[in-house]
Amino acid sequence: MSTTSSDPLAALGALPGVTDAVDSVRKAVDRVYGHRVMRRRSNEVTAEAALRGARGSAALSGADWNLEEVRRRTDFSGDDEARTIGAALRLTAEAGQLLSIWRQSPLRVLARLHLVAAGGAAPDDAVGRPRLAGEPVEEPLIETPLPDAREVSGRLEGLSQLIIAGSSAPALVMASVVHGELLALRPFGSHNGLVARTAERIVLIGSGLDPKSICPAEVGHAEQGRAAYVAAFEGYLSGSPEGMASWIAHCGRSVELGVRESTAVCEALQRGAA
């Protein structure tokens, strides 16, 4: 698509600073994919990236456990933090199974993600569907005003159409917009942050930027900190060119930090230390 009217994300890709962020991410991703360990042990890197990504996403949702504790645990049914970790792990495992459905039916995927995240923790009739008028939303990090249910429905449909239509914009731009829009809408009664970050992961994988899922942006979002995450998200909410560019750059930096994490995993595997 060549026009911004038929491809609204194309204009975002041209914002000041976004091109540099996209180029920087692409170079970082290419470097880790070129690591010699990736030729024979990419499955191990993917598994470790999934674990670390889940830990990072859970940290942003209030369960900031160290990696070894996440790795050691087998039961995540205890307190709220344990359930948040469990939800993040289930979502990371599910993401790769939904790639073929995403481009045809993103709303179906989002419903499935919420179902997986909730894991029986929410009332059955509230799981896997957008919230209704008057229903509360539990989201521990994002406190901006909630759009009403009618607006959520309309904007979800618009996001779905955008994904199905595709875009000439770089994968980072699409992933950032999907992530930001789901955070803004908080369409479900719970687990919206976890679902939004998983949707970002799905876009990055499905676009071909990170086909083996070894560049966990969730790691980078957590590493930059909750305050920086919220501040960047407020740029998205503003809708201004500067705010949107800042949010996309923040997401790009998160991918790069995820790359750094997986590069360290590759180096450890190469040394025989992991």
Side-chain angles (χ1 to χ4, degrees), residues 108-127:
R108 184 176 153 201
V109 169
L110 292 174
R112 173 64 184 169
L113 291 177
H114 186 245
L115 182 68
V116 168
D124 287 349
D125 64 348
V127 173

Side-chain angles (χ1 to χ4, degrees), residues 224-241:
Q224 293 185 85
R226 298 178 91 192
Y229 184 72
V230 171
F233 171 61
E234 287 173 352
Y236 177 86
L237 281 180
S238 75
S240 69

Side-chain angles (χ1 to χ4, degrees), residues 34-101:
H35 197 286
R36 60 186 300 179
V37 163
M38 288 296 295
R39 290 200 291 271
R40 295 190 178 183
R41 305 182 71 178
S42 64
N43 288 346
E44 293 171 71
V45 182
T46 296
E48 192 64 22
L51 184 72
R52 296 177 185 222
R55 193 218 72 82
S57 191
L60 288 171
S61 287
D64 192 2
W65 291 14
N66 68 60
L67 184 64
E68 293 313 312
E69 177 68 7
V70 177
R71 197 191 305 280
R72 181 185 67 80
R73 282 286 191 104
T74 55
D75 180 9
F76 297 97
S77 62
D79 58 20
D80 286 346
E81 286 194 7
R83 286 192 289 272
T84 296
I85 296 282
L89 288 167
R90 291 192 299 273
L91 285 171
T92 303
E94 188 77 9
Q97 311 303 313
L98 299 171
L99 296 173
S100 62
I101 306 171

Side-chain angles (χ1 to χ4, degrees), residues 20 27 85 122 127-128 144 155 175 180 189 196-197 206 228 230 239 249 258 260:
D20 289 343
K27 289 174 183 174
I85 296 282
V127 173
T144 55
R155 286 173 62 177
R197 291 184 289 275
V230 171
R260 187 176 72 179

Side-chain angles (χ1 to χ4, degrees), residues 19-266:
T19 299
D20 289 343
V22 167
D23 289 346
S24 185
V25 165
R26 167 52 70 190
K27 289 174 183 174
V29 171
D30 286 348
R31 281 195 300 272
V32 72
Y33 270 85
H35 197 286
R36 60 186 300 179
V37 163
M38 288 296 295
R39 290 200 291 271
R40 295 190 178 183
R41 305 182 71 178
S42 64
N43 288 346
E44 293 171 71
V45 182
T46 296
E48 192 64 22
L51 184 72
R52 296 177 185 222
R55 193 218 72 82
S57 191
L60 288 171
S61 287
D64 192 2
W65 291 14
N66 68 60
L67 184 64
E68 293 313 312
E69 177 68 7
V70 177
R71 197 191 305 280
R72 181 185 67 80
R73 282 286 191 104
T74 55
D75 180 9
F76 297 97
S77 62
D79 58 20
D80 286 346
E81 286 194 7
R83 286 192 289 272
T84 296
I85 296 282
L89 288 167
R90 291 192 299 273
L91 285 171
T92 303
E94 188 77 9
Q97 311 303 313
L98 299 171
L99 296 173
S100 62
I101 306 171
W102 176 254
R103 282 293 299 272
Q104 284 75 43
S105 186
L107 297 185
R108 184 176 153 201
V109 169
L110 292 174
R112 173 64 184 169
L113 291 177
H114 186 245
L115 182 68
V116 168
D124 287 349
D125 64 348
V127 173
R129 63 154 175 80
R131 55 187 166 83
L132 304 177
E135 289 185 336
V137 171
E138 180 185 345
E139 178 52 52
L141 183 58
I142 305 301
E143 299 177 348
T144 55
L146 281 168
D148 64 31
R150 181 178 297 181
E151 181 180 350
V152 167
S153 178
R155 286 173 62 177
L156 274 179
E157 184 59 36
L159 182 64
S160 174
Q161 291 173 4
L162 196 65
I163 293 163
I164 292 168
S167 174
S168 64
L172 175 64
V173 173
M174 175 67 86
S176 302
V177 168
V178 168
H179 183 171
E181 189 68 358
L182 291 173
L183 274 187
L185 296 178
R186 281 148 289 163
F188 303 110
S190 62
H191 302 97
N192 288 290
L194 294 175
V195 168
R197 291 184 289 275
T198 305
E200 177 186 47
R201 171 184 283 265
I202 288 172
V203 174
L204 293 172
I205 299 168
S207 66
L209 177 65
D210 181 22
K212 293 184 183 293
S213 191
I214 61 166
C215 307
E218 305 96 321
V219 167
H221 287 305
E223 187 171 329
Q224 293 185 85
R226 298 178 91 192
Y229 184 72
V230 171
F233 171 61
E234 287 173 352
Y236 177 86
L237 281 180
S238 75
S240 69
E242 297 80 9
M244 294 296 292
S246 177
W247 170 246
I248 294 167
H250 181 88
C251 291
R253 178 61 179 155
S254 295
V255 175
E256 290 186 62
L257 290 169
V259 167
R260 187 176 72 179
E261 189 90 350
S262 287
T263 301
V265 170
C266 288

